[in-house]
Amino acid sequence: MHALVRLLDPATETTGPITGFGPIGDSEHVLTHQCAGTPIGERIVVSGQVLDAGGRPITRNLVEIWQANSAGRYAAPADHYDAPLDPNFTGTGRCLTDTNGWYRFTTIMPGSHRSDLRCDAWRPPHIHFSIMGTTFNQRLITQMYFPGDPLLREDSVVQAAPEPQRSHLISRLDHAIGENGWARGYRFDIVLPDVPDPPAEHGPHTGASADAWQTPPQTIGPFFAPALLRSHWHNSAPENDPTAIELTGTIYDGARKPVPYAMIETWQPDPGATSNGHFTRTSTGSSGHYRLRTARPRRTPTSADAAPHIALSLFTSGLNDRVITRVYLADDPSGNATDPVLAAVSADRRHTLLAHPEPSSPTTRYRFDITLQGNDETVFFLV
């Protein structure tokens, strides 16, 4: 693998998004009340604060979770484990943090899930967390585990986290969070990477306890679709926008095989400040192919030398942390010639950042394949 390229002008990546898509329903954070019946299993409450690295609470921020049911099976088509499904449990939830950065979910204790790596291996009970952060470079996906589980010692995903930070993936029993006689409580605080200038609305510094650590990222796994995908989230451009473009392509591994069940997110701020920017989220599904629609990128006032581009994140099974790249349009040679990021990339790899017009629709559809390893590996950035 190539080393990450340090991003010299990260202006795009140090802006939003914050809250994701659309309004959040009243029951989305109560996974025990989402269906007509009562789900099977032990009820638990999971709550905590979302903080930046300075200990400041991150407010009104989108937190999403997904998990297996009490039998260890996800309500996802990609999960072929033969444990029973629970018709009254979706395993997915969303909420916004409050003015002090707190989130809260009521759910069911997940069961152990059979690992795809070995038929005799079992993953410890866990809950996947997705946190948007206030900027694109704060974006985090991680997993929460439960204290005292013997499977933690032999789980390859847990052990892949740096040893000093591993304990920060494990929740702690907290009776104050639970509901007496009805549900046990677990506290799980989440600390995101810092940004150069945290927005003032984060609130005052609340203490130095968070300065020494950050919640480690964890692999997204293949079962995120029910929680993180909606039919319209791949499209951030208004339907009547004649300048919108479609971005399409395939994700490849080092053997040039398509990568299934990868998740792609793109972001570009609105240079005219007439909207909240353009954020998309889509998946490669089982085919390794993705398609999304967004606004045609334009120059931004904060980075006058930068060519129009789109920031892109890729999450997939086996990657403990996402990879970050940029998409430049190949039919803008004069703009690309002045871009400091492209200039910092070696000439023989620069082409991996260019999206090329499709012959069938040369002004609105572009192809951008991503290669995770190998001789033609896409350039990924250190932000």
Side-chain angles (χ1 to χ4, degrees):
M1 289 185 65
H2 292 274
L4 298 178
V5 176
R6 182 170 292 279
L7 197 57
L8 300 179
D9 178 18
T12 300
E13 290 74 13
T14 53
T15 58
I18 298 176
T19 58
F21 306 92
I24 294 176
D26 292 340
S27 66
E28 288 195 57
H29 70 290
V30 184
L31 282 68
T32 54
H33 291 168
Q34 292 177 346
C35 302
T38 302
I40 298 170
E42 176 192 353
R43 294 180 294 263
I44 60 173
V45 175
V46 178
S47 184
Q49 278 186 295
V50 179
L51 308 167
D52 69 15
R56 290 168 286 260
I58 296 181
T59 65
R60 303 295 296 169
N61 205 254
L62 180 66
V63 181
E64 299 161 285
I65 65 169
W66 64 104
Q67 64 169 91
N69 64 21
S70 60
R73 184 170 176 180
Y74 291 82
D79 189 359
H80 303 299
Y81 176 39
D82 61 358
L85 284 170
D86 186 339
N88 294 308
F89 189 69
T90 67
T92 69
R94 297 194 303 162
C95 74
L96 293 178
T97 57
D98 67 12
T99 55
N100 293 311
W102 282 87
Y103 70 88
R104 182 181 178 91
F105 292 100
T106 302
T107 185
I108 295 295
M109 175 66 79
S112 300
H113 183 81
R114 184 176 63 79
S115 172
D116 290 334
L117 301 177
R118 299 198 325 266
C119 63
D120 62 340
W122 297 86
R123 295 222 58 219
H126 59 280
I127 298 176
H128 298 260
F129 274 77
S130 165
I131 306 95
M132 291 301 297
T134 61
T135 71
F136 196 67
N137 70 330
Q138 274 193 318
R139 181 74 172 95
L140 178 71
I141 284 180
T142 191
Q143 296 180 34
M144 184 203 89
Y145 302 91
F146 295 89
D149 194 304
L151 291 173
L152 292 171
R153 295 191 298 270
E154 58 185 63
D155 184 72
S156 59
V157 179
V158 175
Q159 298 301 315
E163 195 280 329
Q165 299 178 9
R166 207 170 292 158
S167 62
H168 300 303
L169 295 171
I170 302 172
S171 60
R172 69 177 189 268
L173 186 66
D174 189 331
H175 296 296
I177 286 173
E179 298 184 22
N180 189 27
W182 192 82
R184 279 199 291 182
Y186 291 90
R187 179 162 179 173
F188 184 60
D189 293 334
I190 299 167
V191 177
L192 301 182
D194 212 348
V195 291
D197 297 299
E201 61 267 23
H202 281 200
H205 196 290
T206 58
S209 60
D211 288 341
W213 62 275
Q214 170 192 325
T215 302
Q218 291 267 273
T219 177
I220 192 172
F223 308 133
F224 59 85
L228 299 183
L229 300 179
R230 300 291 187 274
S231 60
H232 61 285
W233 288 359
H234 69 290
N235 183 6
S236 70
E239 291 302 325
N240 60 354
D241 183 355
T243 68
I245 64 171
E246 190 175 85
L247 202 63
T248 183
T250 301
I251 313 300
Y252 294 104
D253 64 16
R256 201 60 184 175
K257 294 181 179 178
V259 177
Y261 304 113
M263 188 179 81
I264 288 174
E265 292 179 343
T266 69
W267 165 251
Q268 48 177 324
D270 179 11
T274 58
S275 73
N276 292 325
H278 300 279
F279 177 67
T280 69
R281 180 189 285 171
T282 190
S283 169
T284 62
S286 60
S287 67
H289 187 79
Y290 76 92
R291 187 182 301 272
L292 60 90
R293 185 173 177 269
T294 187
R296 179 178 289 273
R298 295 182 288 165
R299 289 186 185 271
T300 62
T302 57
S303 189
D305 292 334
H309 61 272
I310 301 168
L312 184 148
S313 278
L314 172 66
F315 304 83
T316 189
S317 294
L319 285 180
N320 238 35
D321 199 357
R322 64 173 177 165
V323 288
I324 300 172
T325 189
R326 281 185 173 185
V327 182
Y328 293 84
L329 303 185
D331 55 1
D332 183 19
S334 58
N336 294 341
T338 65
D339 186 85
V341 172
L342 286 175
V345 174
S346 60
D348 61 327
R349 301 189 64 208
R350 212 168 289 159
H351 69 280
T352 68
L353 299 176
L354 302 180
H356 293 271
E358 291 274 62
S360 60
S361 188
T363 60
T364 60
R365 182 177 297 165
Y366 292 80
R367 186 171 185 92
F368 186 70
D369 293 334
I370 300 173
T371 302
L372 296 178
Q373 286 182 303
N375 295 331
D376 209 29
E377 180 183 317
T378 299
V379 172
F380 299 114
F381 293 105
L382 177 65
V383 181

